[in-house]
Amino acid sequence: MKTPLLIAAIFFTGLTFAQEKKSDTLKTKKIEEVVLTKQVFKKQSDRFVYDVAASPVTKGNTTFDLLKQTPLLSTTDDKTLKITGKNNALIFINGRKSNMDAESLAQFLKNTPAENIQKIEVITVPGSEFQVEASDGIINIVLKKKMSDGLNGNMRMSNSQNKYNSSSASFSANYRKDKFGISANLYGGENIEAQHYVLRNGNASSSNESTGNIDDPNQYIGGYLNFDYQLTDKSNLALSWNSNAGRSYDSTVNLFNTIKSLDSKTQSYITNYTNSRNNEDARSYNNSVNLNYELKTDSLGSKLNLNAAYLTYKRLQYTDNKTFFADALGNDVGFGQTIIQTLPQKINNFSATVDYIQKFKNDFTVSIGGNFNKTKTDNDTKNDTFVEGEAPEFAPNHFIYDENIYGAYLTLEKKFSDKFSGKAGTRYEITNSLGTSDNAAPEYRKIERNYNNVLPYLSLNYALNDKNNISYAFSSRMRRPSFWELNPVRNILTEDNYTQNNPFVKASSTYSHELTYMFKNSYFLILSHSLFKDKITQVPLQRDILKDRRDADGNVVFDPVTNLPVQDSYKQLRYIRTNFGDKQEMSAMLGMQKTFFNNYLTTNFNIGLQRNVNDGSLSIDPTSGDVFPLYENKISSTSILIQTNNTIRLDKKKTWFLGVNYFFVDKQQIELGMLKNLMSLDVSIKKNWNDWTFALNLTDVLRTNIVEIEDYQANGNYNYVKNDQFRRGGTFSITYNFGNQKVKKVRDIEGASDAIKSRTR
């Protein structure tokens, strides 16, 4: 049961660190000088580069584990990665955006060993050449390039235990023979995502409280197959196929609801109890194929890159949402209603990109290119309601969304001296879209949007001397709504509590500034500011509605005097996906990394301040026109953020390692209200033995990483959410590397449909 109640609600800023090594003897100092020239962590004109090839942290870990310990990156939910000052992080591999939806990407990263990674690039303010949304940053994983023919690979198995047990396995292989290369990956697993909810909302006259569990069993399998052939010394042809499938059968929601309403005659509260029991079966399929041609046009690195891609995504979802009348102990005493939903989503996309980079001898680079995306989504939903003693209600809606995007960019990059470099560019985009619904109200049956955007970009980098570096970047971006956000369906939690997607959501704009100071490639300060216009988020709208009172058998209760049905006031809560005003986010992050005791202890400590300034209000449901009491969020907050990662080498042979990690996020105001503080203590121990690695990771040891959000409105309405995802648990994994470790990697290609992929569910 994928519950999107909190998906866009929680903002967590990642913290930063760098690396500096010391030694004692003169001979060692000379060696260390060479290492410092390489610069383990450095700031380039438009990105931070973290060289992890020599780090013992990589061996036996997954790519996701390694990213969590990378400067500027962090996670609070062990599913998604954040970059400091950004809402989202897009994953690239060798400059190619990952061809997966969010759920599949998390599984892929957790099932891919980290030994093959050379370095990680964190691009906090992407340039005009990147097709990214809004304030998204980029995490580019650069794989090692090995030079000889042969076969190599790795296998990994893991088992995890939190509330339920889960397991996963992966297999990767690379083969190179002369001009031909092939790489393949296969991964799979199963788990049960468990959540416990406490939901309260209402005011002095009526209120709802829902408590209970959501269990979502998942089985998944996925992988990729890449072919790379060197046509000539200057040209390559590559074909890549990426596929993943997931199944979630018998997902359940079990909530006990307490509904209170004030009787206007007696001025006393009437309490009713219900049980919400929802079952869901869902499965998804994601396939994409990309054809790439690359031509090197000179010895300086100039090249032409052409891509054509086709993407198909399908999600089939069936839900059975039942409401039962209950007593105060939670026992069923009668049947209320059933809502049966069929919620399919189909996405087909064709994309093409062309990029040309011209390099000149005077350290001047010109990049020019364009892209075309054609997408069609088909959502033929059905919503059937059955109430005892009443005629069934059928509400089908066939929503089709067509979108064409045309884009072009120009980027100029110049290294003026050994100390000063700059990069400037602009992207021009045209978007034409049409959404149609065959069973909506007349004013909602056709939604057409045509708009264009000019998106400038600028970055400057200046090295004051060998130890001090300062840089500045500005970027303007837009964020188009994800396809699932546009599909006008309801995701029902209880009879009166649901989320609502919105076909009227329009693209939002983001303007970002970032100033970075770095000292000795080990200490740095980042100051950032982002302005969001028409921010896309969820807004909780609640109102009182009148419903017929029913007895324990489900029969309507009549007033003996008027002979009319007795009606009680109930609180209805809708989480509406919409554009919700403007928002500003400002942060100051200070980071440091040090090694102690002859490199036996590596400690990262980071501290920062973040300020959120919200300015949004909404009183009308844009999907129906229903009027609600005003929901307003014009509250600002300032928060402290702390993170420390510690790796302790336990023996001289560098085979035993202990990890102790901790983060703290102070309470802060987000769109849904005040998010209370979050913290987590994680501990791990790892043993490297020849080509084998054994690891045990314990997460959220103190069981403090639990989400709580509360909001109080001036009109008396309140809303409270507590979400426990049982993050305390342990994972044991075994990794084995085999074959010739010098095999040259297959060339990874940036797919033409990659920008579209991030907008699927």
Side-chain angles (χ1 to χ4, degrees):
M1 180 69 60
K2 304 302 178 190
T3 308
L5 182 63
L6 302 173
I7 289 177
I10 303 170
F11 175 81
F12 174 54
T13 301
L15 298 171
T16 57
F17 56 87
Q19 183 170 352
E20 179 183 51
K21 295 185 177 180
K22 291 184 176 180
S23 56
D24 296 322
T25 66
L26 179 61
K27 182 178 179 180
T28 305
K29 285 182 180 179
K30 291 181 179 179
I31 295 175
E32 288 296 323
E33 287 174 1
V34 176
V35 175
L36 286 176
T37 302
K38 185 179 179 181
Q39 295 180 336
V40 175
F41 184 59
K42 63 181 179 179
K43 178 67 169 66
Q44 292 183 346
S45 60
D46 65 342
R47 66 194 64 190
F48 293 87
V49 180
Y50 181 45
D51 195 321
V52 299
S55 173
V57 176
T58 60
K59 190 171 184 180
N61 270 342
T62 69
T63 300
F64 193 87
D65 292 331
L66 183 60
L67 290 172
K68 288 195 298 184
Q69 300 183 55
T70 297
L72 301 174
L73 306 184
S74 62
T75 180
T76 59
D77 60 5
D78 204 42
K79 296 178 182 178
T80 56
L81 292 158
K82 303 290 184 182
I83 300 177
T84 175
K86 304 295 172 184
N87 285 341
N88 191 26
L90 302 180
I91 304 297
F92 281 58
I93 299 176
N94 281 3
R96 170 186 179 266
K97 186 179 178 300
S98 55
N99 249 355
M100 296 175 224
D101 59 276
E103 295 170 14
S104 301
L105 177 60
Q107 297 299 341
F108 172 77
L109 294 176
K110 290 181 178 181
N111 287 282
T112 301
E115 287 89 341
N116 293 335
I117 297 177
Q118 174 68 38
K119 60 184 177 180
I120 297 172
E121 298 177 341
V122 181
I123 307 173
T124 56
V125 185
S128 301
E129 66 272 24
F130 292 102
Q131 297 181 64
V132 295
E133 298 283 328
S135 63
D136 293 347
I138 291 175
I139 301 170
N140 184 33
I141 302 168
V142 180
L143 299 177
K144 294 178 180 178
K145 295 182 179 180
K146 303 172 184 179
M147 300 310 296
S148 61
D149 291 346
L151 172 71
N152 73 1
N154 45 57
M155 297 180 289
R156 184 177 188 271
M157 296 181 294
S158 71
N159 187 270
S160 300
Q161 181 69 49
N162 42 37
K163 184 178 180 180
Y164 299 106
N165 189 264
S166 63
S167 59
S168 65
S170 66
F171 173 83
S172 298
N174 301 277
Y175 175 76
R176 166 70 59 176
K177 179 64 175 177
D178 298 328
K179 297 181 178 182
F180 177 73
I182 182 173
S183 67
N185 170 267
L186 179 66
Y187 63 88
E190 59 181 4
N191 61 60
I192 301 177
E193 295 182 4
Q195 300 182 68
H196 179 78
Y197 267 108
V198 178
L199 308 170
R200 301 190 195 104
N201 67 283
N203 53 30
S205 62
S206 60
S207 65
N208 289 352
E209 178 177 290
S210 301
T211 61
N213 297 313
I214 298 176
D215 290 334
D216 182 20
N218 292 275
Q219 295 177 318
Y220 58 89
I221 186 170
Y224 62 79
L225 190 61
N226 296 332
F227 300 93
D228 184 9
Y229 185 75
Q230 185 177 348
L231 299 172
T232 67
D233 291 340
K234 296 183 177 181
S235 62
N236 288 76
L237 188 67
L239 179 68
S240 62
W241 173 61
N242 187 291
S243 179
N244 47 76
R247 188 178 75 169
S248 176
Y249 283 179
D250 199 27
S251 294
T252 60
V253 174
N254 290 289
L255 296 175
F256 176 60
N257 312 304
T258 303
I259 304 105
K260 293 183 177 181
S261 59
L262 185 65
D263 191 308
S264 58
K265 293 183 179 179
T266 64
Q267 291 299 304
S268 60
Y269 285 97
I270 299 170
T271 303
N272 293 289
Y273 304 97
T274 64
N275 283 314
S276 296
R277 294 200 179 95
N278 305 342
N279 285 80
E280 176 187 284
D281 289 338
R283 61 187 189 272
S284 61
Y285 309 92
N286 200 326
N287 287 277
S288 62
V289 61
N290 187 90
L291 180 64
N292 169 265
Y293 174 75
E294 182 180 87
L295 174 66
K296 298 177 181 179
T297 58
D298 59 34
S299 60
L300 298 175
S302 303
K303 62 181 180 179
L304 173 69
N305 202 305
L306 304 175
N307 284 279
Y310 180 74
L311 159 71
T312 178
Y313 173 84
K314 181 187 294 185
R315 178 176 172 84
L316 305 175
Q317 182 180 355
Y318 173 86
T319 65
D320 184 343
N321 309 281
K322 284 184 167 61
T323 302
F324 296 89
F325 299 111
D327 59 24
L329 299 177
N331 301 307
D332 294 345
V333 296
F335 175 74
Q337 72 171 28
T338 297
I339 300 177
I340 296 176
Q341 294 180 300
T342 304
L343 307 170
Q345 184 180 45
K346 301 177 183 178
I347 301 174
N348 291 286
N349 167 264
F350 171 76
S351 302
T353 63
V354 54
D355 301 275
Y356 180 69
I357 300 174
Q358 178 64 56
K359 292 182 176 291
F360 298 91
K361 293 183 179 180
N362 58 352
D363 291 322
F364 180 60
T365 302
V366 177
S367 301
I368 188 170
N371 63 280
F372 169 69
N373 291 297
K374 182 177 180 60
T375 307
K376 180 176 182 177
T377 72
D378 191 329
N379 310 274
D380 192 5
T381 65
K382 294 177 174 60
N383 195 96
D384 305 332
T385 303
F386 303 89
V387 179
E388 190 73 24
E390 298 182 11
E393 254 182 55
F394 303 105
N397 184 40
H398 192 184
F399 178 71
I400 295 177
Y401 179 76
D402 289 287
E403 180 184 83
N404 294 324
I405 300 173
Y406 310 85
Y409 72 87
L410 173 66
T411 300
L412 307 176
E413 188 171 3
K414 171 67 175 175
K415 184 177 181 181
F416 297 96
S417 66
D418 291 338
K419 293 185 175 182
F420 182 58
S421 62
K423 185 176 180 180
T426 189
R427 172 174 283 272
Y428 179 67
E429 293 183 340
I430 300 173
T431 305
N432 301 322
S433 66
L434 175 64
T436 57
S437 298
D438 62 0
N439 199 35
E443 62 270 26
Y444 301 133
R445 289 184 181 175
K446 184 177 180 181
I447 305 166
E448 187 172 6
R449 298 193 188 280
N450 299 296
Y451 54 93
N452 56 78
N453 300 86
V454 178
L455 307 169
Y457 167 84
L458 174 68
S459 70
L460 302 170
N461 191 70
Y462 185 70
L464 302 173
N465 50 45
D466 293 341
K467 297 180 179 180
N468 297 272
N469 183 281
I470 189 169
S471 61
Y472 165 80
F474 166 78
S475 176
S476 60
R477 289 285 177 180
M478 57 180 296
R479 186 211 154 183
R480 299 177 183 87
S482 299
F483 299 119
W484 65 267
E485 291 177 303
L486 293 169
N487 184 19
V489 299
R490 293 179 181 179
N491 294 280
I492 297 172
L493 199 58
T494 71
E495 182 179 351
D496 298 308
N497 189 335
Y498 58 85
T499 65
Q500 174 72 61
N501 297 336
N502 178 10
F504 298 98
V505 175
K506 61 182 181 180
S508 63
S509 301
T510 303
Y511 306 91
S512 300
H513 300 265
E514 184 175 281
L515 182 65
T516 301
Y517 168 71
M518 178 170 283
F519 177 64
K520 295 175 64 175
N521 293 304
S522 298
Y523 312 86
F524 56 90
L525 173 68
I526 299 179
L527 305 176
S528 65
H529 175 271
S530 293
L531 171 63
F532 303 86
K533 305 289 290 185
D534 297 318
K535 184 174 177 62
I536 302 173
T537 187
Q538 284 183 149
V539 180
L541 294 180
Q542 55 179 310
R543 65 175 180 174
D544 292 315
I545 57 174
L546 295 175
K547 300 173 72 173
D548 292 341
R549 186 183 301 175
R550 294 178 179 269
D551 59 23
D553 296 323
N555 300 314
V556 176
V557 176
F558 290 87
D559 189 303
V561 178
T562 64
N563 202 33
L564 295 174
V566 177
Q567 291 188 316
D568 295 323
S569 176
Y570 286 78
K571 186 63 66 176
Q572 182 186 70
L573 177 62
R574 303 181 190 177
Y575 288 91
I576 307 295
R577 182 70 57 175
T578 190
N579 299 98
F580 187 61
D582 302 335
K583 183 177 181 179
Q584 295 184 71
E585 294 175 355
M586 293 158 278
S587 65
M589 298 292 163
L590 182 64
M592 177 194 73
Q593 182 188 56
K594 280 286 188 179
T595 58
F596 300 94
F597 310 116
N598 197 27
N599 295 328
Y600 271 83
L601 170 65
T602 301
T603 300
N604 307 305
F605 178 77
N606 310 275
I607 188 168
L609 286 176
Q610 178 176 311
R611 182 165 178 79
N612 295 344
V613 180
N614 300 277
D615 185 14
S617 61
L618 186 70
S619 61
I620 298 177
D621 183 344
T623 65
S624 65
D626 294 340
V627 178
F628 286 74
L630 179 68
Y631 177 80
E632 189 174 53
N633 187 351
K634 297 182 181 293
I635 301 174
S636 302
S637 66
T638 302
S639 309
I640 298 174
L641 304 103
I642 301 172
Q643 180 175 348
T644 179
N645 295 322
N646 305 274
T647 301
I648 304 169
R649 177 160 58 91
L650 300 177
D651 64 339
K652 292 183 178 180
K653 296 182 178 180
K654 301 181 180 180
T655 63
W656 284 95
F657 296 89
L658 175 68
V660 181
N661 303 323
Y662 173 80
F663 76 78
F664 171 81
V665 184
D666 199 5
K667 64 179 182 180
Q668 56 184 289
Q669 185 73 16
I670 60 175
E671 286 76 13
L672 291 180
M674 182 63 71
L675 171 65
K676 295 187 177 181
N677 62 63
L678 297 170
M679 67 179 74
S680 181
L681 173 66
D682 305 333
V683 180
S684 64
I685 189 165
K686 182 175 67 173
K687 168 64 175 177
N688 295 331
W689 180 61
N690 296 327
D691 292 327
W692 296 82
T693 300
F694 306 89
L696 176 64
N697 295 278
L698 303 178
T699 57
D700 195 19
V701 175
L702 304 178
R703 206 169 187 276
T704 52
N705 194 6
I706 299 174
V707 171
E708 285 189 82
I709 304 172
E710 60 182 2
D711 176 73
Y712 296 91
Q713 293 290 304
N715 56 26
N717 286 341
Y718 67 87
N719 189 29
Y720 172 82
V721 177
K722 183 177 181 180
N723 179 220
D724 182 1
Q725 297 186 26
F726 302 97
R727 295 192 177 107
R728 182 169 67 179
T731 300
F732 178 72
S733 63
I734 301 175
T735 305
Y736 175 67
N737 294 312
F738 64 88
N740 177 11
Q741 297 302 308
K742 295 182 180 180
V743 174
K744 182 179 178 182
K745 290 293 177 181
V746 172
R747 186 169 59 95
D748 284 272
I749 309 302
E750 181 178 359
S753 64
D754 295 341
I756 293 297
K757 206 55 161 165
S758 63
R759 297 169 62 198
T760 62
R761 180 183 288 271

